Amino acid sequence: MARIDYRVAPGGRLRGSVEVPGDKSVSHRVVMLGAIAEGTTEAEGFLEGEDALATVAAFRAMGVEIEGPREGCIRVHGVGLHGLRPPEGPLDLGNSGTSMRLLAGLLAAQPFDTVLTGDASLRRRPMRRVTQPLQLMGARIETTPEGTAPLVIRGRRRLAGIHYPMPVASAQVKSALLLAGLYAEGRTCVVEPAPTRDHTERMLAAFGAPVRFGDGTACVEGGARLRGRRVLVPGDLSSAAFLLVGATIAPGSELELRGVGVNPTRTGVLHILRAMGAEIEVLDPREAGGEPVADLRVRHAPLRGIEIPPEWVPLAIDEFPAVFVAAACAEGETVLRGAAELRVKESDRIAAMAEALQGVGIEARPLPDGIVVRGGRIRGGSVWSHGDHRVAMAMAVAALRAEGTVLVRDCAAVATSFPGFAELAARLGLGIETVVR
Ligand code: S3P
């Protein structure tokens, strides 16, 4: 793979009105539920990023006909709960944790064996959090001795529903169990220690599955059929977050982001940025395909450091790289705790962001489960994204407040979640240049 760096000129501001790419979480689920539904599922606004495309390729390899995606339109010809066919080889899910963990649940119930693998980052990530509860349901899944992928999933197992209190707040674990639960005997219930994104539950309901959720427990009955349907994929708030932070920190900025998903299990970043002083308006709230959507208007505002309330952490779990950049531009200290999950994302985001912020002159002190960032002057410099898409984009927008050029190394992974990020950000005013090595 070509190595890509971002060279970002200091200063500038973000102005304009744009749509951000489709929601990654919802895009994965469109393909997965569409594939095991009866009839056709058509989606608009589908994210044509590498992660969602890895899910598309996996289902194609299991005999599902999928047209597109082309300009955000995708059509999945469902094969029904029992229509998947054995793939010819291992399914390579690239960088995508969502693909691997959700598929582990879905494939645990199939009448054939599968092997799930991925890139070096994905093969470092913990998988026992899904394989252990799936084993309680009767699944047989082997991991490496470290509990990582490749996962060898033995099929032909009869699964039974369980009542599972999740030790970590994880939408991927919850979703894997609900997908396995579709095939299990009886009812599968997952109890959450804190609310996490509920896209699987909402989409299961929209596809006609007997699912109950909303009170800290999500349950599904086994054996029900899903019906394919039209889905509108909202813009991804996790992608919008980089632009929200960029516009907030750069004087003279004013941005409108249209059609962004504002599902309340995702809006922690809005709560955090507003508590720091950001001016973000949520305009014209509406529904699209069972998901709340709105236009967001943001303009520059001075920020102050805060202690981030722990209940907001799972609601903002992917947005912390961007939030740390906001903290670097705030008056005083921002303290995050209770976020040890950040250490097992596409990179160790606490270590990677502490290193990157220090690399541009910001005081950032990692904690075992969080970080303390002191606002200050961003000098500029050369930093490494650790191959993590969100670290790369966060450090690129940090240049808006830098005194010198910011070189962000190893940014190819941005294509997993935000294809066209550099072009879009440049159009809005970021002095970003892509350097291919
Ligand atoms: C996701 C859940 C979250 C999130 C990831 C997408 C999903 O992971 O970080 O980017 O689509 O279910 P966890 O479940 O590990 O918190």
Side-chain angles (χ1 to χ4, degrees):
M1 191 166 56
R3 216 189 93 187
I4 287 173
D5 296 344
Y6 290 150
R7 188 184 297 126
V8 196
R13 60 187 189 183
L14 301 182
R15 293 180 77 87
S17 171
V18 290
E19 287 178 1
V20 292
D23 189 276
K24 181 152 77 74
S25 294
V26 174
S27 296
H28 283 298
R29 288 153 172 86
V30 163
V31 178
M32 295 185 188
L33 296 194
I36 58 167
E38 291 170 20
T40 305
T41 291
E42 262 185 30
E44 272 172 51
F46 186 85
L47 173 67
E48 294 178 43
E50 287 168 5
D51 278 11
L53 295 177
T55 294
V56 168
F59 281 92
R60 281 199 178 119
M62 293 188 285
V64 180
E65 190 192 335
I66 299 172
E67 295 173 68
R70 206 170 304 114
E71 288 169 24
C73 295
I74 191 166
R75 192 178 295 141
V76 183
H77 296 271
V79 295
L81 270 190
H82 301 288
L84 295 176
R85 291 208 305 263
E88 272 174 18
L91 300 173
D92 185 347
L93 304 167
N95 194 240
S96 179
T98 307
S99 308
M100 182 168 287
R101 296 206 178 108
L102 271 58
L103 275 175
L106 185 56
L107 297 179
Q110 302 302 323
F112 50 82
D113 298 348
T114 35
V115 177
L116 304 183
T117 189
D119 69 9
S121 152
L122 184 53
R123 281 185 281 111
R124 277 194 297 270
R125 298 181 66 186
M127 291 297 149
R128 285 201 183 112
R129 55 179 60 198
V130 286
T131 59
Q132 281 175 345
L134 287 170
Q135 277 153 6
L136 295 177
M137 296 177 76
R140 254 189 74 195
I141 308 180
E142 291 147 32
T143 66
T144 67
E146 291 74 42
T148 52
L151 304 182
V152 180
I153 304 175
R154 307 284 175 198
R156 293 170 289 277
R157 308 286 297 178
R158 279 173 70 99
L159 303 187
I162 51 168
H163 183 92
Y164 186 67
M166 269 195 303
V168 281
S170 164
Q172 292 178 353
V173 175
K174 173 177 64 174
S175 301
L177 300 183
L178 294 177
L179 292 174
L182 290 174
Y183 293 86
E185 181 132 348
R187 178 181 300 164
T188 299
C189 290
V190 185
V191 185
E192 303 189 276
T196 66
R197 64 191 70 195
D198 61 5
H199 306 300
T200 303
E201 298 91 303
R202 284 172 184 261
M203 206 182 289
L204 279 172
F207 277 61
V211 57
R212 188 174 64 71
F213 63 104
D215 55 356
T217 302
C219 298
V220 71
E221 306 289 334
R225 296 158 128 189
L226 308 186
R227 284 187 308 277
R229 54 165 290 157
R230 265 180 77 78
V231 181
L232 291 175
V233 180
D236 199 327
L237 181 57
S238 297
S239 297
F242 302 103
L243 303 176
L244 292 175
V245 167
T248 296
I249 63 174
S253 296
E254 179 157 0
L255 271 187
E256 188 191 42
L257 306 174
R258 302 188 308 269
V260 182
V262 287
N263 179 318
T265 60
R266 295 283 297 278
T267 45
V269 65
L270 301 182
H271 308 323
I272 295 170
L273 292 177
R274 280 174 168 163
M276 295 175 76
E279 282 188 35
I280 303 173
E281 290 171 87
V282 177
L283 304 170
D284 190 16
R286 51 202 188 267
E287 249 206 40
E291 289 280 345
V293 167
D295 303 326
L296 303 179
R297 185 172 303 146
V298 53
R299 53 178 69 85
H300 166 66
L303 297 178
R304 54 188 173 271
I306 59 164
E307 267 198 42
I308 297 174
E311 64 271 20
W312 289 349
V313 169
L315 310 180
I317 197 65
D318 289 341
E319 285 68 71
F320 283 106
V323 165
F324 299 160
V325 168
C329 300
E331 183 81 34
E333 260 182 15
T334 296
V335 182
L336 171 70
R337 287 178 206 278
E341 275 296 298
L342 294 182
R343 293 205 177 269
V344 291
K345 294 294 176 187
E346 286 84 327
S347 71
D348 174 344
R349 287 187 175 154
I350 292 173
M353 283 302 299
E355 177 192 297
L357 289 172
Q358 289 161 5
V360 294
I362 293 293
E363 224 182 287
R365 185 159 52 84
L367 307 171
D369 64 342
I371 197 169
V372 181
V373 178
R374 172 169 288 283
R377 286 168 54 195
I378 300 179
R379 273 195 327 252
S382 168
V383 299
W384 181 34
S385 75
H386 288 251
D388 184 322
H389 53 138
R390 301 202 199 278
V391 174
M393 289 185 275
M395 292 313 296
V397 298
L400 287 160
R401 276 280 286 272
E403 294 165 4
T405 298
V406 177
L407 182 80
V408 191
R409 303 191 314 274
D410 212 359
C411 300
V414 167
T416 61
S417 69
F418 200 152
F421 164 75
E423 295 73 11
L424 183 70
R427 187 144 59 80
L428 296 174
L430 185 68
I432 185 169
E433 196 190 325
T434 300
V435 185
V436 184
R437 296 191 189 280

